[in-house]
């Protein structure tokens, strides 16, 4: 084991979005042995900063479901895969024709810029994007879809994300990758981008083989990463498709599931 790749919400973090003392001890013990600890998340750097001190994250991180890699200490960006404006407009207009009342947002500029459609903030919670909804502002639909995006967000005031996801897949459109992270919206990245592809690129940069990677996750957006890693670990309350993608299932995030596996592997 040379690298631990871990999802955050529902996996490393407990249900109060904290890093438990036991989990921190396990992460520190791994770091003492020279093992890389890499958060692989749907979050942006702003969302990582909230917990960086508690988890002692100070190296590479993969954000927007593997769309880009950023170094949390010096701000270097290893890569960034953006979804084109043309693709964004095509899928957004097709969805709007099928489902009235949709709202969209776009993550840009290395995750630092969040462009939300007028009305989006009314349904957002601070925990959705680690941003105060009152400060999100709002722009016209055309402004949201007018530029490339690291992650394009689709939500509806009433419909569940799973229903939006199914409708998007039924349209038969191509040129993008869509997934669910457990957040109240659908997340769309550039074609082929997943946590697995981002992790593979980072590991190539670090000279680490996939067989030397242990990955943890709990949601649909973790499936490819768990399959790719040398050893994939699903959380106890993960969906069946996630557990089937993993090599083992640990206890829940509130029962220190990540820490238990790391402790065992470190002996």
């Amino acid at each position: 084991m040379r690298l631990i790749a871990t999802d955050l919400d529902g996996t490393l973090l407990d249900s109060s979005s904290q890093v438990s003392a036991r989990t921190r001890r396990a992460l520190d013990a791994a770091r003492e042995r020279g093992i890389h600890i890499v958060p692989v998340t749907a979050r942006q750097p702003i969302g990582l900063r909230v917990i960086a001190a508690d988890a002692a994250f100070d190296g590479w991180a993969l954000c927007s479901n593997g769309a880009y890699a950023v170094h949390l200490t010096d701000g270097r960006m290893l890569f960034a895969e953006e979804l084109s404006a043309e693709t964004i407009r095509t899928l957004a207009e097709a969805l709007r024709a099928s489902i009235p009342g949709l709202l969209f947002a776009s993550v840009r500029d290395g995750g630092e810029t969040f462009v939300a459609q007028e009305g989006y903030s009314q349904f957002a919670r601070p925990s959705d994007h680690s941003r105060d909804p009152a400060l999100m502002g709002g722009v016209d639909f055309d402004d949201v879809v007018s530029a490339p995006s690291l992650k394009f967000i689709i939500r509806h005031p009433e419909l569940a994300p799973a229903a939006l996801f199914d409708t998007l897949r039924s349209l038969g459109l191509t040129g993008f990758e869509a997934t669910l992270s457990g957040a109240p919206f659908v997340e769309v990245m550039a074609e082929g981008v997943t946590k697995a592809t981002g992790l593979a690129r980072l590991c190539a940069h670090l000279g680490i083989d996939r067989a030397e990677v242990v990955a943890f996750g709990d949601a649909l957006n973790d499936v490819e990463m768990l399959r790719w890693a040398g050893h994939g670990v699903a959380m106890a309350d993960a969906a069946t498709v996630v557990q089937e993608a993993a090599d083992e299932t640990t206890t829940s995030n509130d029962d220190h599931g990540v820490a238990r596996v790391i402790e065992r592997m470190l002996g």
Side-chain angles (χ1 to χ4, degrees):
M1 179 170 61
R2 293 183 58 201
L3 186 146
I4 294 170
T6 180
D7 172 57
L8 299 180
D9 300 284
T11 301
L12 186 77
L13 307 180
D14 62 23
S15 56
S16 62
S17 296
Q18 302 295 311
V19 179
S20 72
R22 180 173 178 178
T23 297
R24 173 60 187 270
R25 287 194 299 270
L27 295 176
D28 287 344
R31 275 187 281 256
E32 288 172 4
R33 300 210 189 173
I35 297 170
H36 296 270
I37 308 294
V38 178
V40 186
T41 177
R43 293 188 183 209
Q44 313 312 316
I46 187 174
L48 281 170
R49 294 180 195 126
V50 176
I51 62 167
D54 289 342
F57 291 146
D58 60 2
W60 289 104
L62 289 165
C63 299
S64 279
N65 297 313
Y68 65 108
V70 61
H71 197 282
L72 296 174
T73 300
D74 58 30
R76 282 178 293 155
M77 186 175 291
L78 183 63
F79 60 82
E81 295 286 346
E82 291 185 317
L83 185 66
S84 73
E86 180 181 2
T87 301
I88 291 171
R89 181 178 289 277
T90 297
L91 72 89
E93 289 181 343
L95 268 178
R96 290 175 90 194
S98 299
I99 305 175
L102 288 172
L103 294 165
F104 304 95
S106 176
V107 175
R108 304 172 186 168
D109 304 323
E112 298 302 325
T113 301
F114 188 84
V115 181
Q117 185 179 351
E118 184 69 41
Y120 185 97
S121 63
Q122 298 176 28
F123 302 97
R125 301 167 302 180
S127 59
D128 288 349
H129 307 287
S130 298
R131 302 170 190 268
D132 183 352
L135 303 177
M136 284 181 180
V139 300
D140 291 339
F141 169 79
D142 284 341
D143 291 328
V144 180
V145 301
S146 65
S149 178
L150 287 164
K151 186 172 75 171
F152 187 63
I153 296 162
I154 306 164
R155 76 186 299 164
H156 192 277
E158 299 172 357
L159 295 178
L164 303 181
F165 182 69
D166 290 342
T167 299
L168 178 58
R169 291 197 299 178
S170 72
L171 294 176
L173 301 174
T174 60
F176 59 87
E177 194 77 32
T179 193
L180 300 172
S181 68
F185 41 77
V186 175
E187 303 172 38
V188 184
M189 288 71 58
E191 186 172 17
V193 168
T194 66
K195 288 187 176 184
T197 62
L199 186 56
R201 292 183 69 174
L202 177 59
C203 285
H205 173 74
L206 297 173
I208 294 175
D209 188 86
R210 62 190 292 183
E212 300 170 309
V213 175
V214 176
F216 297 87
D218 75 303
L220 183 64
N221 63 335
D222 297 311
V223 166
E224 293 87 358
M225 177 175 71
L226 297 183
R227 289 175 177 158
W228 182 86
H231 191 78
V233 184
M235 308 308 290
D237 50 1
T240 300
V241 66
V242 182
Q243 295 192 33
E244 289 176 346
D247 297 290
E248 72 166 292
T249 297
T250 185
T251 56
S252 73
N253 57 324
D254 284 325
D255 193 22
H256 317 287
V258 172
R260 291 177 186 274
V261 174
I262 294 174
E263 290 164 356
R264 186 190 77 223
M265 289 188 160
L266 294 178

